[in-house]
Amino acid sequence: LRTSYFRLQSGFTLIEVIIAVFIVTVGVLGSFSVIQQVIAYTSNSSNRLIAAYLAQEGIEIARNIRDSNWLKDDNWQTGLANCEAPNGCEADYNSQNLSVYASRYLKINSGFYNYNSGTDTKYKRKITITPDGTDILKALVLVEWQERGIAKQFSAQENLYNWK
C-alpha cells in the first residue's frame, strides 16, 4: 500500500506543468520587453545628443559670422539678416553667411555635417535670427528628425550681442 501511494505522488500533474510553462513564458517575455525598452532609450539618447551638438554648432556658426564681420570691419549683422521666423535660415560649419532655409537634410562626411557632400542623415537644422533691440540678436536653432515614425526636435537659443 505504501509503495503504490508514493508512486502516484512522484510525478507532476498536467496543471502543475501548465502553470510552470506559463511562469517561464511570462518571465522570458518580460525580459525581452525590458531589453527592447533599453535599446529604444539608448537610440533616443544617442539621437538627442547628436541633435544637441548640431544645435550648438548652429549657434556657433551664427556667432562666427558675427565675429568675422567685426574682423572685416563690416556691420556686425551682415549675413545674419532675413532669417526671422517662420522662414529661418540654414548653414553648415564652413558657411560665411546664412542661406534661406530649404528644409534639407544634413549630410555627414568624415565626421562633419554639411549640406553638400556625404551620406544623408535624418537631421534638419533651422536657424532663426530675430532682432531684440539695436544691439541684440536672438539666435534660435531647431534640429528636427524622425525616430520610429515620431517627429522629434531639439532647440537651443542664445543672444548675440554687439559688444564691440
Side-chain angles (χ1 to χ4, degrees), residues 85-124:
N87 299 332
C89 292
E90 62 186 23
D92 57 29
Y93 68 94
N94 57 5
S95 297
Q96 299 300 316
N97 54 28
L98 301 175
S99 57
V100 176
Y101 181 68
S103 189
R104 297 186 293 168
Y105 288 98
L106 285 161
K107 299 175 184 295
I108 189 164
N109 188 8
S110 301
F112 294 101
Y113 288 86
N114 66 80
Y115 289 104
N116 300 323
S117 64
T119 307
D120 284 340
T121 66
K122 59 175 111 181
Y123 302 100
K124 294 180 182 180

Side-chain angles (χ1 to χ4, degrees), residues 7 16 21 37 42-43 47 65 68 72 76 84 126 139:
R7 195 174 307 161
E16 290 174 328
V21 169
Q37 289 293 327
T42 302
S43 174
N47 290 333
I65 292 170
S68 295
K72 294 185 286 188
W76 72 285
E84 293 186 29
K126 183 182 201 179

